[in-house]
Amino acid sequence: MDVTVNGAARQVVPAPDATAVELLRDTMGLTGAKLVCGSGACGACTVLVDGVPRVSCLTPAVALENRSVTTVEGLHGKHPVQRAFAAHDALQCGYCTPGFVVAASEFVDRWRSEHGDTAPPRPEITAALAGNLCRCGAYPGIYAAVAAACTGAHDAQDAAAAPRVPPARVEAEEKITGAARYTTDHRPEGMLEGVIVRSRHPHARVRSVTGAGTLVDLLPADRTVRYVGQPVAALAAPTLAEALAAARQVEVEYEVLPAVVDVRHAEEPGSPLAYPSRADRRTAPTSVEGILIPARWRGNLRGPLNLSRRARVAVHRIEEARADRRGGRHLVEGTFTTAPQTHTPLEPHACLASWDSAGELHLWVSTQAVGAVAEQAAERFGLKPGQVHVTAPHVGGGFGAKLRMTGETVAAAELAAAHAAPVRVVLSRAEELTDGGHRPGTRAEIAVLVDERGDLAALTLDVHADGGTSIGSGVAAQARFLYGRAPRRLRDYDIVTNRPPAAPFRGPGGPPLAWALEQAVDEAAHRRGEDPLVLRRRWDGNAKRRALYDVAARLPLWTRRPTSPGTGRFRRGVGVAAANWVYFLDPGTRVELAVEQGLVVARSATQDIGQGSRSVMAEVVAAELGLPRELVRVDIGRSTAVHGPTSSAGRTTASVAPAARDAAVRLRAALTARAGRAAATAPLHALLAGADGLRVIGRRPRDRRGHVTPVAVDHLAVGRGFTGAVQVTEVEVDTLLGRTRVTRAWSGIAAGRIHAPVLARSQCEGGIVQGIGYALHEERITDPLTGVVLTDDLDDYRIPGIGDVPEIDVHFHEEGFEHVDGGGVGLAEVCTLPVAASIGNAVHAATGWRPYHLPIRPDRLLEGLNP
């Protein structure tokens, strides 16, 4: 058929059932449009068909006959909206960016033709981009970019009159043009498509697996599956359609075993055991980063993990208050629950594997840990560490779901060996939402006792986590580090079921802790008739958070808030919540600097999943050497480089920035020594000429006050000091329809010096957006009879869209980490922790009804207001 693509006439013969996105990506090699949902829910595959935005995942390829198609590549980086996206950092991981750019380009052109060079109202932009989703939450930058492009602020200008200012994100150009290549974009010659055959039963022993062609086994040693969707085997074929057809013909013989798929029944006497023996329990996956603290098991209950302080005193005081009829004013008790929250990064788990003639393994992986995956793959396949090469230059989000070698990587490597050909395995959206990881659901029983003086007298907190087959949740334990040293009993439990395992999710344990603790603290303040900010400041001894309370207390958003519940249909309320997070680092981080063709090239075995580590390294090196950033190139996402940190727990910037600075100091010294007397008068960039091949390796210096942990465990160490956050949020509650809308949000962040302010602000805005999703929309639902995940597409599992995003103001308190080289640590975790709790407190302030269960669905709100 004939079709015009990006201005060029093409003749193609699409497969009978091919979609437009498959034609563009697989046949024409135009990988800017991304296949994410396959249902038209996310907009990542948006292209223009005869000038009109279309989702190409729902458009049949044959419908393009005699049509004109424009993809992001066809904009050539010259459209004003592309320049605006780069200038306003309207992106993070970049996986959704091409779809946004294409949709926004059409809106900007249409708006300007109808209204001239004027900024459109916010609702106009919302309506135009309502069909596009960004899991990173880069919506504030997108709003700003589109508005600016509409005014003509980013039209092409004379370079001499207006010198180009490089964007804050060094890889922005690649992402706004669709040139950034992710694992899912690679399609080498002779590649096969692999698919995974998954269990249909929540608990069974696999007797046999048969099918046509080559099958590789993905079962554990005991050949037992423990949840619906667990990998059983994998196969490959020349096309995905052929592989899926072959997978449907695979026959698996199961010995079905008793299963427990409803967390409400898991603790009942006689309930089936997810892990019947001690040996079985040792195979349980974890939902925690770092080491797993041992705990005892009783049936399907693991725990308690106890990190209490003077627990007996706390229990005694609370029991006395319960017995005292007058204690009600001083004792706050409640049970707070949270639903599981699914990571669902827009780039799914994916791996492209191949073996070379020397028997070495090459893996393109969508991962947060190139180094860890290389180590785990070497162990899994009996190779030396240097024989595994993991590559991930661009990663389409992770949020904690991609910290380890997972099933798709094992399947791709095994299939590549079996077929002696490259094999790519990419999870479908249904697979991603089922087996790609999620934050455990929780049930928290809390009691907070306030003494006559208004001080915290005791705290008890029991948290039962619902992480499917996984263990290791630590929610209550984190309450040890907030609100002084009052006696407290803190106990964590895992309730294990035959459902897919949870995984660490951005600030593991922090959001559900804040949901319970910060609402209980808020209730204590209301019962005392005290300003919730004032009470928190009085209880909280952390100097960094106290500084944030002082700023928040002066905000018009806070000082002008309604001080009693409203009346009428629409009611406004403002809530506050606080949180802290551990300062994590990887003390073994290295950064290599090499002079190559007049450029300084920085390398480390770390990766950029959207948090900006590539840009931080470039800025630090350029600043230390006094070079323009154009003379610094960052090459990361390769396991063969010197050791770098995993992108998790807020450790990346705190690790790579000091190591990059140390490397720059060493390179300056080496260049100066090489130049001799000429170094006294020559600028440093001139010393790069003739220095090709010069290499130095920088190390992360030890903090001046040392670390809390003397050695790193799994490359993770704890530094001294906590980061802090104070969140103030305004909501509007529709008491007729039960809808809650966040209208304004202020976030105060204390994480020391900010290395890249624009990117840091974007990270915090994204964390707030994910917190809004946790509070109001996101709920992973599993069938209580079969164990099947029901929310397995982006229509049923709702993540925030651009219309859900309020005006956001972020304030950085940059003091408190002077003992750290560079003065700053990570902030990607702490920014999201208090958001849901602040929304819960705002709903209470607006209506007088306190929400105990997340998400705050309309039916729950209406039931609470009308019991």
Side-chain angles (χ1 to χ4, degrees), residues 33 48 77 81 182 333 402 644 713 715 765 806:
L48 301 182
V81 84
Y182 300 80
E333 295 186 273
K402 300 174 179 176
V713 177
H715 303 297
E765 290 167 346

Side-chain angles (χ1 to χ4, degrees), residues 603-683:
R603 294 187 173 92
S604 184
T606 189
Q607 52 289 305
D608 196 327
I609 63 171
Q611 84 279 28
S613 53
R614 183 183 276 107
S615 302
V616 168
M617 290 172 65
E619 289 289 351
V620 168
V621 171
E624 186 64 38
L625 295 177
L627 294 174
R629 205 180 68 184
E630 290 79 1
L631 294 182
V632 178
R633 179 166 64 86
V634 179
D635 182 6
I636 59 175
R638 303 180 193 278
S639 65
T640 51
V642 294
H643 174 73
T646 293
S647 297
S648 69
R651 79 181 89 172
T652 315
T653 295
S655 303
V656 298
R661 184 176 292 104
D662 182 64
V665 170
R666 293 171 187 263
L667 182 62
R668 177 188 290 276
L671 287 168
T672 302
R674 184 188 186 101
R677 293 182 180 178
T681 57

Side-chain angles (χ1 to χ4, degrees), residues 41-43 46 53 81 85 90 97-108 110 122-134 138-139 141-147 800-803:
C42 73
T46 300
V81 84
F85 266 58
T97 302
F100 268 103
V101 164
V102 171
S105 70
E106 186 275 339
F107 170 72
V108 168
R110 176 164 46 86
R122 190 178 173 104
E124 293 283 349
I125 299 174
T126 299
L129 301 180
N132 293 71
L133 295 175
C134 174
Y139 298 118
I142 293 171
Y143 270 123
V146 174
I802 194 167

Side-chain angles (χ1 to χ4, degrees), residues 92 399 506-507 581 609 611 648-653 723 749 751 760 763-764 766-768 770 825-833:
Q92 288 187 30
F399 318 113
R506 198 172 192 171
W581 187 248
I609 63 171
Q611 84 279 28
S648 69
R651 79 181 89 172
T652 315
T653 295
T723 59
I749 303 295
Q763 273 285 290
C764 293
I768 292 166
Q770 288 191 352
V825 299
L827 49 69
E829 319 292 317
V830 74
C831 63
T832 198
L833 307 187

